[in-house]
Amino acid sequence: MNGSATDEQNLFVCAPKGESALVRLADHFFREVQAFGVLTSSSTITDEMCGAYISTRGGFIKSFLETLTMFCDLRFATHSRIPFCYNRAEWPGGAPIEGYTPAEPEVLPADVATSLMLNVQQRATGSLFSRLLTCAVRRLAGTGDLRDTVTYLFDLHQAGFAGADEVTETTCLLLRAHSQAGSREALVERCMRHATPDEIDWMTDVPDFEWVDESPLGKEGKAVLTLLFQRASRRVEEVRGAQDLDQWVLGQIHIDGLLTAVIRLFHELVENIPLPYQARLAQWEEIVCDAHALLMTSRAGFDTLSAKARISSAHLMGQAIRQRAGTAWQDRLYQERLLVPAQLRAHYFSEPAGQFPPQWQHLSWRVIHPWLTAVAPGTAPSAVVRTSQTGQPSGESPGRGGERDIAEDLLADFETIHRLHEEHRYAEVEQHARSTLRRHPYMENLYAELAIALDHQNKPEAAREELLTGIFLNPHNPLLWHSLSVVLHRTGSHEEAAFAMAFSRFIASEARSADSGQRHEG
């Protein structure tokens, strides 16, 4: 599954050990749900937008994770450490309401993914705040550590489980309550109305914070703010060191919420902010504006992520800094703002701008679905086309006038590919399919054609990877699952092949049932 410059440890384990392809697919699906949470965490998201994503992607992802759990005992790996927060609709009885994976008692991948999606939806309706308060008090009661509890809340935000506003409000209230109560025991006792631990039902009892006033922070509360300040500083540098456009965009959206939260907490809870902190907070306010603009301007057109647009934006900001910094303007722009990734510094500041590496030219298939949910609801990934006006790819949705030409060009590409298949010229099929994918990187059928060509060239492992990418883009395509089954048989993964074939038949059956229902209604 190509498309990212980074290799991350798989979040899951599965038995028997041979199910690596399906486990990797599960890992990518779960990370997409996290990306969905992150990309909607610092913006206005509607209940309709959430519902659209859950119906088109989320429902399948949940079913796939559940089925894989039954098929090969899918579980979180010991190193996964994904923060989670319960939901009232579908949380398994006996499971902890908060914590990190792998938890004890165990929470399953489908449960965590479903809870994340439901929490995003409840964020849209404004009903998540009380749940975060409950998780915070429960964690404080269990660990007894205020720093750990606030770290958990901000980990939820970074993982897509909670929005910046809810985390800020929860943290502010928690720090004030802790300072006023004097200890974590007193805080838990007052919040839970003097109930004993055995009497508390954490799924239904809502903590009481009505007694909290605006008392000044104590020593421990101030230490927590210092911890958050350090976290924000590290995160800025992490985003600056992004390895590809996916990391850069997700990092920018996370930075928008994180820095906004830290700035707000300092202004609300610290009466006299020390001068060194004031200077950094002011700098962060400018970074927040830059990050926020990424999402806002992207709603006006997908091409705002193009290489040309990004360089132009950085140079425009550089003009203002140049007047103050003179010849050192490039260093000042790089250090004070978060407009230029470290990997592309030379590309941004060279004349003419250098060719971007492939992983920086457009968003990968890993995040395209949640990205479009956030910036262009209703747009299918296959409708996004890469055109070139400056000699390098850019992200664009076709204008109405160009849709017919684009469709005709794509049809001509498929006709060429099919003709080459019929003539058994598979190396040329591979070459032409890859060339077409540079303009249509989210067209799942192109990955299927590429996989067939690779398989005919006795490259079944490579064919498998292309099919996994196609399935990720459109998991409702039964032909892709059928092809995956054939290739998995060729690589010796017979149990996985049987699973893929069963999934192909199930999806085809579901599609026939849906068509039959529509005809009946008509």
Side-chain angles (χ1 to χ4, degrees), residues 55-359:
S55 64
T56 58
R57 299 286 290 178
F60 176 87
I61 292 173
K62 176 190 175 186
S63 297
F64 180 71
L65 294 176
E66 288 175 337
T67 306
L68 207 55
T69 298
M70 292 186 290
F71 171 67
C72 65
D73 197 29
L74 187 74
R75 293 291 188 272
F76 282 105
T78 55
H79 60 259
S80 59
R81 194 165 171 74
I82 303 297
F84 62 83
C85 169
Y86 77 110
N87 66 82
R88 292 194 178 98
E90 298 186 35
W91 197 244
I97 68 167
E98 50 76 25
Y100 295 83
T101 64
E104 186 62 42
E106 190 172 29
V107 291
L108 297 176
D111 295 328
V112 177
T114 301
S115 190
L116 193 156
M117 289 184 282
L118 290 175
N119 281 349
V120 173
Q121 196 164 35
Q122 286 151 358
R123 224 161 60 211
T125 59
S127 58
L128 181 61
F129 179 49
S130 64
R131 190 163 303 110
L132 287 184
L133 285 175
T134 301
C135 286
V137 175
R138 170 65 183 83
R139 187 156 191 87
L140 190 62
T143 66
D145 192 312
L146 184 62
R147 295 188 186 193
D148 172 85
T149 300
V150 173
T151 295
Y152 160 75
L153 290 172
F154 277 80
D155 284 348
L156 283 177
H157 173 240
Q158 187 164 345
F161 252 97
D165 289 342
E166 295 94 351
V167 167
T168 304
E169 293 169 7
T170 303
T171 301
C172 187
L173 199 54
L174 189 69
L175 293 180
R176 281 178 168 155
H178 190 275
S179 296
Q180 189 174 339
S183 69
R184 67 102 177 179
E185 293 86 0
L187 184 155
V188 173
E189 183 179 355
R190 294 187 69 173
C191 285
M192 304 314 295
R193 302 171 184 81
H194 305 283
T196 65
D198 293 339
E199 296 172 334
I200 299 173
D201 184 347
W202 294 103
M203 287 287 291
T204 58
D205 293 344
V206 179
D208 173 24
F209 280 87
E210 293 295 329
W211 52 275
V212 179
D213 58 27
E214 296 187 3
S215 301
L217 291 188
K219 181 179 179 180
E220 195 167 355
K222 292 178 181 178
V224 168
L225 288 184
T226 301
L227 184 72
L228 292 177
F229 186 89
Q230 295 168 347
R231 179 188 184 117
S233 298
R234 289 194 305 270
R235 185 60 178 146
V236 168
E237 295 309 311
E238 288 172 1
V239 175
R240 201 188 308 278
Q243 299 296 300
D244 55 29
L245 187 58
D246 290 5
Q247 286 188 0
W248 177 252
V249 170
L250 289 171
Q252 289 277 348
I253 303 302
H254 175 239
I255 279 289
D256 181 5
L258 172 61
L259 297 188
T260 299
V262 174
I263 292 168
R264 180 178 162 190
L265 287 170
F266 266 85
H267 285 301
E268 289 193 15
L269 298 175
V270 181
E271 187 172 348
N272 295 306
I273 302 175
L275 287 176
Y277 283 80
Q278 288 185 33
R280 184 65 67 84
L281 294 175
Q283 178 185 340
W284 286 351
E285 287 177 352
E286 294 179 338
I287 290 177
V288 165
C289 291
D290 296 337
H292 194 60
L294 171 71
L295 187 59
M296 294 301 101
T297 57
S298 294
R299 286 189 172 136
F302 191 76
D303 61 334
T304 52
L305 278 181
S306 71
K308 180 181 178 181
R310 283 181 278 151
I311 291 175
S312 299
S313 175
H315 280 203
L316 181 63
M317 193 60 62
Q319 294 295 331
I321 296 178
R322 188 179 304 184
Q323 296 176 4
R324 304 194 307 268
T327 58
W329 73 274
Q330 293 182 1
D331 292 335
R332 287 284 298 276
L333 174 64
Y334 178 77
Q335 294 166 4
E336 294 181 7
R337 306 298 281 264
L338 198 56
L339 289 164
V340 181
Q343 279 200 359
L344 300 184
R345 185 173 180 177
H347 296 78
Y348 271 70
F349 295 134
S350 62
E351 294 291 347
Q355 174 78 18
F356 277 23
Q359 69 270 25

Side-chain angles (χ1 to χ4, degrees), residues 400-415:
R400 295 190 180 186
E403 288 178 353
R404 180 175 299 176
D405 291 340
I406 291 169
E408 290 177 353
D409 288 345
L410 184 59
L411 179 60
D413 286 324
F414 271 109
E415 288 177 347

Side-chain angles (χ1 to χ4, degrees), residues 378-389:
T379 302
S382 58
V384 178
V385 181
R386 300 293 161 198
T387 62
S388 178
Q389 299 175 347

